[in-house]
Amino acid sequence: MSAVEFTARVRDGQIEVPEEYQEMLAGVERVKITVTSQKRTAAVGSIARLINNPIKLKTFVSLSREEAHERG
């Protein structure tokens, strides 16, 4: 068994094997794949940053449903 590690693009659900490894895999019917992905994230604005990392305050008191829907 031999092992290689490379970074590849995924297009339409298919992993693109770099050219330097294609000959090594010629004729191979099965391979074992371990996937570590790096999700693309959009530019994070202030609101998204707070949603992902909320500020926790000891003195915070949430509104009741009625208070949240009250209109002045």
Side-chain angles (χ1 to χ4, degrees), residues 32 64 71:
K32 180 178 180 178
S64 68
R71 296 185 185 203

Side-chain angles (χ1 to χ4, degrees), residues 4-7 16-26:
V4 295
E5 181 177 325
F6 56 85
T7 301
E16 295 180 358
V17 176
E19 285 186 40
E20 60 264 31
Y21 301 113
Q22 290 179 7
E23 187 176 320
M24 180 185 93
L25 295 173

Side-chain angles (χ1 to χ4, degrees), residues 17-50:
V17 176
E19 285 186 40
E20 60 264 31
Y21 301 113
Q22 290 179 7
E23 187 176 320
M24 180 185 93
L25 295 173
V28 174
E29 289 184 25
R30 298 178 68 83
V31 294
K32 180 178 180 178
I33 306 289
T34 302
V35 177
T36 304
S37 68
Q38 296 175 340
K39 252 187 176 178
R40 287 186 181 175
T41 57
V44 179
S46 300
I47 300 298
R49 195 173 11 262
L50 284 170

Side-chain angles (χ1 to χ4, degrees), residues 44-63:
V44 179
S46 300
I47 300 298
R49 195 173 11 262
L50 284 170
I51 290 170
N52 292 327
N53 303 295
I55 298 170
K56 297 179 180 170
L57 303 172
K58 292 179 183 179
T59 58
F60 176 76
V61 178
S62 62
L63 297 174

